[in-house]
Amino acid sequence: MKEINVTLKVWRQDGPNAAGHFDTIPAPGIKDEMSFLEMLDLVNERLIADGKDAIVFDHDCREGICGTCSLMIDGQAHGPQKGTATCQLHMRKFADGDEIVIEPWRATAFPIVKDLMVDRAAFDRIIEAGGFITAETGGAPDANITPIPKTVADAAMDAAACIGCGACVAACPNSAAQLFTSAKVSHLNLLPQGQAERYKRVEAMVDTMEELFGSCTNHGECEEACPKSISIDFIALMNSEYLKSKFKNRKRLSQHD
Amino acid sequence: MELNSKIPEGPVAEKWTKYKFDHKLVNPANRRKYDVIVVGTGLAGASAAATLGEQGYNVKAFTFHDSPRRAHSIAAQGGINAAKNYKDDGDSVWRLFYDTVKGGDFRSREANVYRLAEVSVNIIDQMTAQGVPFAREYGGLLDNRSFGGAQVARTFYARGQTGQQLLLGAYQQLARQIGLGNVELYNRTELVDVVVVDGRAAGIVVRDLLTGEVSSHSAHAVVLATGGYSNVFFLSTNAMACNVTAAWRAHRKGAAFANPCYTQIHPTCIPQSDDFQSKLTLMSESLRNDGRIWVPKDTNDTRSPDQIPEADRDYYLERRYPSFGNLAPRDIASRAALVEVASGHGVGPLKNGVYLDFSEAIGRLGEKVIEERYGNLFEMYERITDESPYKVPMRIYPAPHYTMGGLWVDYELMTTVPGLYAAGEANFSDHGANRLGASALMQGLADGYFVLPNTIANYLAPKLGEAVVPTDHPEFQAAEAAARDRYAGYLAIDGTRSPDSFHMELGKIMLEHCGMERTKESLTTALELIPPLHEEFKRDLRVTGSGSSTNQTLEKAGRVDDFFELAQLMCLDALTREESCGGHFRAEHQYPDGEAMRDDDHFAHVAAWEWTGDASNPTRHVEPLEFNDVHLAVRSYK
Ligand SMILES: Cc1cc2nc3c(=O)[nH]c(=O)nc-3n(C[C@H](O)[C@H](O)[C@H](O)COP(=O)(O)OP(=O)(O)OC[C@H]3O[C@@H](n4cnc5c(N)ncnc54)[C@H](O)[C@@H]3O)c2cc1C
Ligand code: FES
């Protein structure tokens, strides 16, 4: 185990409407086995010992699955390691003497709550608009009544793996939410169970997304930043679904293509 | 305090059907006249809130997370059990019932367990209809795997992310109800007290985590689906924010707390590497389908694992439990690992692990199949340890993971406070002294989708036309004032130690003295150590920042404060239960071969504790358990 000394430049902001600034905080004696968030825990313990306010940041599972952690590290969403959420990043990826810049997600749809914590409720609004299959409790048919080809289930699962962290939005120069929205649209629209609401779903979700987020200009930064490496192919799929929804004769929806 | 389990009459297989026919109903047009509060939006809470919303009740849902989708349920990996018998390998509702009662070491209530097994089949249907992408075979039918404590393959899964997919399913149903206006969501809002008026649940007091503001909400019924308390050990596999506050505050307001000493230490976690560690990472039990557990026979063996020939390895689970082998239940597998490490057979730099080896499975099935089954788990392991399980065996060790104990509930999932319900991991109901793998997800969804919506109607029906207690009622006002004082108090202490430093010290005491193995002596020691540490906390805590904007140090202080009182109750419960059963192993009570020795004559009961105002002197009540359908027997997995 090695020990390194790093210096943090951390964004501090007292509240949504306060002006923010960078604090420079030396972080000596960091073991390289530590996770990035364990390093922040230690820094916070030292801040408290000095009578200062701990740095506010979102986190919970620390296993890369809940999507709560959300840091811009040296200008990259979730930091330098590809396909890795902040909580799974380890200090062995940094070198002695490094200066590490830590910022919150920056996007108008994600207002800053405090320090490094942002409000991502806009994602929930997109799901509320249509990101579901209407299947009220009770009365579901036997689960094996509709065989689903493994390839279809696998493709749906690839999309469903999205953890809703918002790195895609943070990485996008336009703060667009296409990757998040398309992952959910594709998960549900690919499955046989999702067919009944297929066009209504994509319309409602895309319209809500456009109200709240910027527009996509195909930069592809989102896929690069995604800790689950969700493919931008899903954006193409969503766009084609959306287009179809505009042309579809609604009365014939049950006879899908 | 009266413990009336309200188990319906009749044969165990007909009780739930009978109950559903007999209970009182609320006419659909009248449901909007009732307010129901659901705290927690994990599997249990999200499914309950969504279903109650669909049925027409006015629902308010609360979570301290920023979104319902972040609840700790999201982290479940391996799978969910259901008695579908799709493999035709001899499974049935009866067998799942039997396995669960036996797996729980005969310390659960038969009627509840049977109902759980019965509705398990509906869960899979429901979740599939909602679009959960469960793993499939090439022909398109659902796939299954095996989990510990079972000899059939009844576990449904979605890669290594079953909890994520199930929670997203339930969350999407909840989101739909929020969009429709049937459920109102309060996110980043923490329950800090439960309000009881005239002996009934009247509502809750909450703290807004963004502004620090304390306010009240009243309702006709309150559901707590707030998860488990493994984080009392500081290091556990639970998410960082999991805590006992909601259940504990309910306990202090009259809800009995049952079997707090029943905690599950999961056998397959990544061993701790250093003191700075903030949590432990689970490696799903499903790995035991293909991985073989072993240690070197020689305690001084320094060879790398691939250099150790078969003859010098001890596959101790296969040796000790030939019929279940590596799939022995969790409590047994964990204790066996403890025995190996304690006797010096541990592996790794700190000699604090055992091997979980995939080389044989990779040889038999090929790397590709193994990758398909466990790819994401292998990746997670490598990220943390910098070692590839495709090349070297994993190192694993047991870690606190799940709590079978929780709020005491009757057959209707109602606590000892009328109108206050507990669901999911927060209650004690179905797993006895040990939970089988893949059964927590099942229980959370059973409670939320299928049980509560029926049982709550039975309570609400006679209250038609009754107004809720207004939040300016003196009880609400007093609870609000107490909550404000509590949080202002933490800030005012101005001592020297952070909440985390206390939490870490408490966790160490609990792991050492009330962990995998307990003795009268260790528990007595813990009970001597905890109260002074709690006093020190009250005297020397340091919380920086203010109470009027987001302050995670302050949130943590409140949670640690409650963990102290819970920890005492756990030790008292463990001390009074003079037997070994499931996850509760009292070293004084074991057979010569090291197996747990139950004492059915004196302890075939639930211990439900009543708060008396003094954390070191609660009152113990007992609910006797009857075993009419699964006969009491020494549990054997040999
Ligand atoms: C790593 C891991 C893997 C697991 N794998 C499996 C598996 O494969 N199969 C299986 O069956 N089980 C598994 N389990 C167990 C299972 O995941 C949990 O027991 C289950 O998900 C608990 O669900 P729940 O709804 O009861 O609570 P949770 O999902 O913990 O939800 C609790 C909710 O309550 C809220 N809450 C809590 N306190 C308050 C408060 N005071 N105020 C406001 N809100 C509050 C939280 O915000 C959250 O929404 C696993 C557990 C872990 C730790
Ligand atoms: S903390 Fe859960 S994904 Fe990082």
Side-chain angles (χ1 to χ4, degrees):
Chain A
M1 204 178 299
K2 271 200 334 234
E3 268 193 16
I4 57 172
N5 303 315
V6 295
T7 305
L8 309 182
K9 272 185 73 184
V10 185
W11 186 257
R12 306 301 297 264
Q13 183 171 332
D14 279 344
N17 303 315
H21 64 277
F22 280 105
D23 260 359
T24 303
I25 305 173
I30 301 299
K31 302 205 169 107
D32 66 345
E33 298 268 288
M34 278 185 176
S35 73
F36 195 83
L37 296 185
E38 283 165 351
M39 180 275 291
L40 282 183
D41 291 340
L42 179 66
V43 168
N44 272 342
E45 283 297 294
R46 291 174 180 170
L47 286 172
I48 296 171
D50 287 347
K52 297 187 180 135
D53 291 11
I55 304 161
V56 173
F57 63 96
D58 255 330
H59 65 95
D60 198 17
C61 74
R62 301 210 173 181
E63 291 185 4
I65 192 73
C66 71
T68 313
C69 62
S70 46
L71 298 179
M72 258 332 206
I73 302 168
D74 289 333
Q76 282 174 293
H78 291 305
Q81 195 174 352
K82 208 173 145 45
T84 303
T86 300
C87 59
Q88 292 190 292
L89 182 64
H90 281 74
M91 293 310 290
R92 58 179 93 92
K93 299 284 166 196
F94 297 87
D96 190 43
D98 275 0
E99 181 183 86
I100 308 173
V101 181
I102 311 176
E103 292 170 88
W105 286 169
R106 294 195 191 274
T108 32
F110 292 162
I112 293 177
V113 170
K114 190 168 178 179
D115 295 346
L116 304 171
M117 183 187 270
V118 300
D119 176 1
R120 287 167 284 189
F123 270 4
D124 292 308
R125 300 294 94 78
I126 296 177
I127 303 298
E128 287 156 19
F132 46 75
I133 289 171
T134 299
E136 297 195 348
T137 307
D142 186 90
N144 255 346
I145 212 156
T146 313
I148 303 178
K150 187 171 184 311
T151 43
V152 172
D154 282 350
M157 182 65 214
D158 287 342
C162 166
I163 59 174
C165 62
C168 47
V169 175
C172 174
N174 309 322
S175 303
Q178 252 74 5
L179 193 62
F180 168 79
T181 313
S182 70
K184 187 48 56 184
V185 167
S186 304
H187 159 205
L188 298 174
N189 279 21
L190 282 166
L191 290 171
Q193 306 91 300
Q195 296 312 306
E197 293 162 297
R198 177 172 170 187
Y199 297 108
K200 187 170 154 224
R201 171 181 307 119
V202 67
E203 252 186 320
M205 290 178 74
V206 170
D207 291 349
T208 308
M209 171 189 81
E210 286 183 340
E211 250 169 57
L212 299 169
F213 290 88
S215 326
C216 171
T217 47
N218 297 317
H219 277 266
E221 301 284 348
C222 49
E223 182 182 309
E224 273 302 298
C226 177
K228 297 293 138 183
S229 305
I230 306 267
S231 161
I232 49 171
D233 292 353
F234 291 122
I235 300 183
L237 190 69
M238 174 175 77
N239 290 342
S240 100
E241 295 283 287
Y242 187 70
L243 203 64
K244 275 190 219 149
S245 77
K246 295 295 175 199
F247 290 109
K248 209 71 192 170
N249 177 353
R250 305 260 155 175
K251 291 193 183 126
R252 298 188 58 224
L253 264 186
S254 62
Q255 302 155 279
H256 42 79
D257 54 352
Chain B
M1 175 177 283
E2 196 205 352
L3 298 176
N4 178 0
S5 59
K6 293 196 230 147
I7 298 171
E9 295 297 311
V12 73
E14 288 161 31
K15 287 181 194 292
W16 182 231
T17 309
K18 181 169 157 29
Y19 176 86
K20 283 191 288 184
F21 184 74
D22 288 345
H23 79 70
K24 300 182 207 79
L25 299 173
V26 178
N27 161 348
N30 282 334
R31 292 181 194 153
R32 85 181 91 87
K33 298 175 187 155
Y34 293 98
D35 297 337
V36 180
I37 284 174
V38 179
V39 188
T41 58
L43 285 180
S47 56
T51 306
L52 292 166
E54 280 163 23
Q55 293 188 342
Y57 298 101
N58 282 318
V59 180
K60 285 182 178 177
F62 294 82
T63 166
F64 58 60
H65 284 102
D66 68 326
S67 163
R69 66 180 294 153
R70 313 261 187 242
H72 169 60
S73 295
I74 200 97
Q77 302 169 348
I80 175 167
N81 287 330
K84 279 289 198 185
N85 194 28
Y86 281 161
K87 298 282 164 197
D88 199 22
D89 57 358
D91 201 9
S92 60
V93 167
W94 195 271
R95 187 175 296 282
L96 176 53
F97 160 60
Y98 173 87
D99 285 350
T100 309
V101 172
K102 177 183 168 196
D105 216 356
F106 302 91
R107 289 294 175 264
S108 48
R109 204 186 274 146
E110 278 190 341
N112 287 55
V113 178
Y114 192 91
R115 174 178 65 192
L116 174 66
E118 191 177 343
V119 302
S120 70
V121 296
N122 305 100
I123 295 172
I124 300 305
D125 297 342
Q126 189 64 37
M127 299 319 283
T128 302
Q130 292 173 5
V132 170
F134 284 122
R136 305 230 162 216
E137 318 240 13
Y138 280 96
L141 300 180
L142 289 157
D143 192 19
N144 291 114
R145 52 168 59 144
S146 312
F147 255 59
Q151 288 178 312
V152 295
R154 62 159 79 94
T155 306
F156 294 79
Y157 65 101
R159 290 197 191 142
Q161 291 128 276
T162 316
Q164 179 198 28
Q165 294 310 313
L166 292 173
L167 183 62
L168 290 181
Y171 154 70
Q172 285 161 204
Q173 297 307 306
L174 175 61
R176 176 168 170 263
Q177 293 306 312
I178 295 169
L180 292 170
N182 299 331
V183 177
E184 200 176 340
L185 177 73
Y186 293 81
N187 65 340
R188 295 212 201 257
T189 305
E190 177 154 322
L191 177 149
V192 291
D193 212 348
V194 171
V195 177
V196 179
V197 175
D198 297 333
R200 292 171 176 274
I204 60 174
V205 174
V206 297
R207 186 170 173 273
D208 182 326
L209 299 182
L210 302 185
T211 62
E213 203 182 305
V214 170
S215 62
S216 299
H217 297 265
S218 46
H220 293 94
V222 175
V223 177
L224 301 183
T226 46
Y229 52 86
S230 295
N231 275 352
V232 69
F233 293 103
F234 185 69
L235 284 182
S236 84
T237 62
N238 285 19
M240 301 294 285
C242 294
N243 69 83
V244 77
T245 290
W248 195 254
R249 293 283 136 187
H251 175 56
R252 291 175 60 120
K253 286 295 173 76
F257 208 106
N259 302 333
C261 79
Y262 290 168
T263 51
Q264 177 165 82
I265 314 276
H266 193 294
T268 53
C269 305
I270 303 180
Q272 190 180 356
S273 70
D274 209 332
D275 268 350
F276 55 72
Q277 209 156 318
S278 59
K279 72 164 299 213
L280 294 168
T281 302
L282 175 77
M283 288 286 109
S284 166
E285 175 159 312
S286 59
L287 293 169
R288 291 201 270 145
N289 270 285
D290 289 305
R292 297 179 67 196
I293 295 179
W294 63 275
V295 291
K297 282 185 183 159
D298 179 1
T299 52
N300 296 317
D301 203 326
T302 50
R303 288 173 289 182
S304 77
D306 55 321
Q307 298 302 314
I308 301 180
E310 284 293 315
D312 294 345
R313 300 175 174 194
D314 180 12
Y315 294 91
Y316 60 85
L317 282 179
E318 295 171 24
R319 170 171 59 78
R320 290 176 58 183
Y321 306 99
S323 62
F324 281 71
N326 292 297
L327 284 173
R330 292 181 174 174
D331 50 339
I332 289 182
S334 287
R335 223 167 35 247
L338 174 75
V339 170
E340 296 305 326
V341 169
S343 61
H345 290 91
V347 300
L350 304 175
K351 290 190 78 115
N352 63 348
V354 298
Y355 288 128
L356 177 61
D357 194 340
F358 294 87
S359 53
E360 194 237 26
I362 291 173
R364 182 163 39 91
L365 302 163
E367 205 168 298
K368 195 154 179 304
V369 174
I370 294 298
E371 187 187 337
E372 221 169 67
R373 288 189 189 162
Y374 313 111
N376 68 320
L377 295 169
F378 279 28
E379 209 184 288
M380 200 192 295
Y381 181 87
E382 185 167 355
R383 241 188 264 272
I384 293 173
T385 62
D386 231 8
E387 288 174 1
S388 163
Y390 296 105
K391 302 199 181 75
V392 283
M394 280 185 178
R395 284 175 294 113
I396 52 158
Y397 194 63
H401 175 64
Y402 182 88
T403 49
M404 283 74 69
L407 292 172
W408 184 90
V409 289
D410 61 19
Y411 188 73
E412 298 188 297
L413 304 185
M414 200 194 284
T415 66
T416 48
V417 176
L420 180 68
Y421 294 79
E425 194 173 337
N427 73 27
F428 89 108
S429 74
D430 297 350
H431 307 292
N434 173 55
R435 174 176 71 80
L436 292 182
S439 287
L441 301 179
M442 168 171 76
Q443 184 224 330
L445 291 171
D447 289 358
Y449 276 129
F450 299 105
V451 180
L452 278 176
N454 281 291
T455 60
I456 285 190
N458 192 40
Y459 174 76
L460 293 177
K463 299 199 166 9
L464 187 62
E466 264 180 39
V468 296
V469 179
T471 55
D472 56 9
H473 185 282
E475 285 293 333
F476 274 106
Q477 291 304 309
E480 277 189 26
R484 284 192 194 99
D485 287 350
R486 175 153 116 99
Y487 287 90
Y490 298 133
L491 284 160
I493 299 171
D494 206 20
T496 64
R497 292 184 61 182
S498 71
D500 259 350
S501 81
F502 283 106
H503 190 188
M504 206 180 288
E505 193 174 337
L506 174 67
K508 277 197 181 136
I509 296 174
M510 290 303 284
L511 199 59
E512 192 177 330
H513 301 289
C514 191
M516 247 186 296
E517 196 172 293
R518 301 144 180 197
T519 60
K520 182 169 183 184
E521 198 192 337
S522 74
L523 294 163
T524 316
T525 309
L527 285 167
E528 279 162 12
L529 293 171
I530 298 166
L533 188 62
H534 195 192
E535 284 310 311
E536 187 184 337
F537 172 91
K538 291 177 190 164
R539 223 178 34 242
D540 196 27
L541 176 72
R542 173 181 287 182
V543 176
T544 51
S546 87
S548 57
S549 74
T550 308
N551 187 341
Q552 292 165 317
T553 319
L554 184 57
E555 292 163 23
K556 186 69 194 270
R559 295 168 187 173
V560 175
D561 198 1
D562 291 338
F563 274 138
F564 274 112
E565 290 180 351
L566 166 78
Q568 286 188 66
L569 191 66
M570 289 170 68
C571 295
L572 276 173
D573 189 43
L575 189 61
T576 4
R577 189 167 283 279
E578 287 281 357
E579 64 162 352
S580 293
C581 57
H584 170 63
F585 191 80
R586 282 284 301 268
E588 302 93 329
H589 304 288
Q590 54 180 310
Y591 290 101
D593 62 354
E595 300 297 334
M597 191 191 282
R598 281 198 334 255
D599 178 355
D600 294 332
D601 289 340
H602 300 99
F603 290 98
H605 60 232
V606 176
W609 296 85
E610 182 181 356
W611 175 255
T612 56
D614 174 2
S616 56
N617 196 19
T619 309
R620 188 174 190 265
H621 299 270
V622 158
E623 177 201 340
L625 291 169
E626 278 174 37
F627 295 90
N628 300 317
D629 294 284
V630 183
H631 294 293
L632 279 167
V634 174
R635 208 170 51 142
S636 168
Y637 290 94
K638 292 197 167 159

